[in-house]
Amino acid sequence: MGLHKGQTNNRQGRPKGKPNKVTGDLRGVLQKVLDKELTPIKLSNLLKNLEPQQRLNALTKLLEFTIPKLQSVSIEKQIQAEYESLECLLESAPEKAIDEIFERIKKLKENAETIENQ
């Protein structure tokens, strides 16, 4: 008797982030088609035949696949993320390492004060 819908013999399931077989196969086929049909010379010729506005639109759309989009991050969010990251590091660090960090910070402050007073 087969398994019911939603059941599997693999209790751990597919690892997170690993695409399923169909997705992987489809990407492989698309890659082969693109490698054959969209060579740099063919792409250049296609772009030359477009009107300037169409060429600009095509290049803009292609850039999305080569250059990651930048996301604006507020200074407050960036500082908060840094504090959270530091907090995680401090929670997992051994006491000796934390003591050494505090000693180093203390020396840096003393050096900064010395420089300011000169």
Side-chain angles (χ1 to χ4, degrees):
M1 184 176 200
L3 297 174
H4 295 287
K5 186 175 180 177
Q7 287 184 326
T8 178
N9 287 329
N10 183 356
R11 293 176 190 226
Q12 293 179 337
R14 186 174 68 229
K16 189 174 184 177
K18 182 177 180 182
N20 63 32
K21 186 171 178 9
V22 174
T23 302
D25 291 346
L26 180 60
R27 285 184 180 171
V29 169
L30 287 174
Q31 185 65 50
K32 287 179 184 177
V33 169
L34 288 174
D35 288 343
K36 182 180 177 185
E37 296 297 325
L38 203 58
T39 64
I41 293 171
K42 287 183 180 180
L43 179 60
S44 178
N45 290 334
L46 286 170
L47 290 171
K48 284 179 186 176
N49 294 329
L50 294 176
E51 294 295 322
Q53 185 64 40
Q54 291 174 320
R55 188 177 316 130
L56 182 61
N57 288 340
L59 289 171
T60 302
K61 289 179 181 178
L62 289 172
L63 281 176
E64 292 179 13
F65 297 97
T66 57
I67 301 173
K69 289 184 179 181
L70 297 176
Q71 295 181 348
S72 63
V73 178
S74 70
I75 298 296
E76 292 82 13
K77 287 184 180 181
Q78 189 173 358
I79 291 171
Q80 182 62 33
E82 292 289 331
Y83 279 129
E84 289 172 4
S85 176
L86 182 58
E87 188 175 342
C88 288
L89 286 172
L90 289 174
E91 286 177 1
S92 62
E95 288 297 320
K96 183 178 179 183
I98 293 172
D99 291 341
E100 289 176 11
I101 291 169
F102 283 123
E103 286 300 316
R104 179 72 176 135
I105 291 171
K106 187 177 175 182
K107 287 180 184 178
L108 289 171
K109 282 185 176 181
E110 290 171 359
N111 289 344
E113 289 173 0
T114 303
I115 291 171
E116 284 179 5
N117 292 335
Q118 290 179 352

